[in-house]
Amino acid sequence: MSASASASESASASPSESASATPDASPTDDGRAPSSSPTFPTPEPSGSASDEAPASPVLMKDGDENEQVRELQARLRQLKHFDRAPTGFYGSMTARSVKSFQKKQGLTGTGSVDETTWQRLLGASRKPTADELKPSTTNALDAPAPACMTGRVLCISKESRTLAWMIDGKVVSSMDVRFGSENTPTREGTFSVGWKAREWTSTIYHTPMPYAMFFSGGQAVHYSADFAARGYAGASHGCVNVRDRAKLATLFDQVRVGDKVVVHW
C-alpha cells in the first residue's frame, strides 16, 4: 500500500474511532491491550457502623416505678404535659405525656425517656418542690361526712374520689381513690378495719393487693398498679383502690385494726 493510500485511510477514520485513541489506551504493564470498557472507582460507603452515633440508652419506660419517674411526672406537669399528681409509676398516661413533650421538642415521639429527652426536660423545667412531688391529692377534698369527725377514721368520699385519713376531725393525709364498677360496687356505710395484710393476692381474681386494709368482707383499701397506670379509665371489683403506693405504705403503718372506715357520697 502506498504512503498516500495510508494517509487517505487515516484521514477517513471516523471521529469515534479517532476519539477512542486516547493516551489512556496504552498497553497495560503486563503487555495486554487495555479494556475498551471504562472503569469507575468503587464508591465509598456513606458511613460505617463505627461512624454512627450510638443509640441513647433508655432511662425510664412503661412499667418502671421509682422516684425518678415521680420527678419526671412532676416536671412534665409543670409544662402542662401531665395533668395529675405524680405517682412514681410509668404507665400509659406517662408514656403519652412523654411523647407529647418529645414532639414539642422536635424529638422522635417514642414515649420512653432516653438521655436526650431527659436533658431537654431538665433544661425546660425546674427542680420540683416536695409538694409537687407528693401533693396531698389530685382531687380536692369535699366536706367530710359527720361520722368522720370523731376518732381515727378512713373517710372515703365517692363524690370527690378521695380518701382522707382523719384523727379527731383533722385531716392527717389524703390521696386519690377509685371504686368498683356498677356490677361490683363499693359498699357505702360505716365499717371498721377488720384485718390488714402488707402483701396479699386476691383469692377470687388472683391480682396483687399490697397494703390491704379489709373493712367489709372481701372489700379493702389497697394499692392498685392498674389504677396507677390507667387512672379512672378502669375500676375495681369493689375495693377502694389507691394509686400512690408510697403514701399508702405510710398510711398502712398508721392505721390500726378497729379504726373506723366511712364510705359516703
Side-chain angles (χ1 to χ4, degrees):
M1 182 180 293
S2 66
S4 60
S6 298
S8 175
E9 287 178 7
S10 176
S12 64
S14 67
S16 60
E17 290 174 337
S18 299
S20 64
T22 63
D24 292 336
S26 57
T28 60
D29 291 341
D30 60 5
R32 297 178 182 175
S35 171
S36 61
S37 300
T39 57
F40 300 96
T42 303
E44 294 292 333
S46 59
S48 63
S50 59
D51 295 332
E52 297 177 357
S56 183
V58 173
L59 304 180
M60 289 169 274
K61 62 185 185 306
D62 191 10
D64 289 347
E65 186 172 10
N66 53 52
E67 290 306 302
Q68 189 179 21
V69 172
R70 187 183 296 278
E71 181 180 350
L72 165 72
Q73 293 167 333
R75 287 178 179 273
L76 288 170
R77 195 179 191 192
Q78 291 175 9
L79 302 175
K80 311 299 182 186
H81 289 284
F82 193 71
D83 61 357
R84 53 185 286 190
T87 63
F89 181 83
Y90 202 121
S92 59
M93 296 180 71
T94 303
R96 286 195 297 270
S97 299
V98 169
K99 187 176 292 187
S100 172
F101 172 77
Q102 288 171 327
K103 290 184 176 179
K104 185 85 179 249
Q105 292 287 316
L107 303 173
T108 303
T110 63
S112 297
V113 179
D114 59 9
E115 183 65 32
T116 300
T117 301
W118 182 239
Q119 291 302 322
R120 290 282 187 92
L121 182 60
L122 292 180
S125 59
R126 54 177 169 74
K127 184 177 180 180
T129 64
D131 188 59
E132 286 176 321
L133 289 170
K134 296 185 178 181
S136 60
T137 182
T138 298
N139 304 319
L141 296 173
D142 60 2
C148 296
M149 299 307 294
T150 57
R152 299 163 55 88
V153 190
L154 293 173
C155 188
I156 301 167
S157 170
K158 286 189 171 181
E159 178 69 24
S160 63
R161 298 189 292 190
T162 57
L163 180 155
W165 169 231
M166 302 179 65
I167 299 179
D168 296 330
K170 295 182 180 180
V171 176
V172 178
S173 64
S174 61
M175 55 203 72
D176 295 338
V177 294
R178 74 176 183 184
F179 307 96
S181 64
E182 291 183 2
N183 296 326
T184 55
T186 302
R187 290 183 279 274
E188 299 155 25
T190 299
F191 313 92
S192 62
V193 176
W195 59 288
K196 300 166 54 181
R198 191 176 299 274
E199 296 292 340
W200 185 258
T201 299
S202 170
T203 57
I204 300 175
Y205 303 107
H206 310 292
T207 54
M209 298 170 55
Y211 304 105
M213 295 176 279
F214 291 87
F215 62 87
S216 178
Q219 295 191 353
V221 174
H222 68 84
Y223 169 73
S224 168
D226 182 74
F227 183 24
R230 299 172 57 209
Y232 293 105
S236 75
H237 292 102
C239 289
V240 178
N241 290 165
V242 178
R243 64 182 171 192
D244 192 318
R245 186 184 187 114
K247 292 181 72 172
L248 182 60
T250 300
L251 176 62
F252 182 88
D253 291 336
Q254 297 174 355
V255 173
R256 307 169 187 162
V257 171
D259 284 345
K260 192 171 13 177
V261 179
V262 177
V263 182
H264 69 97
W265 281 100

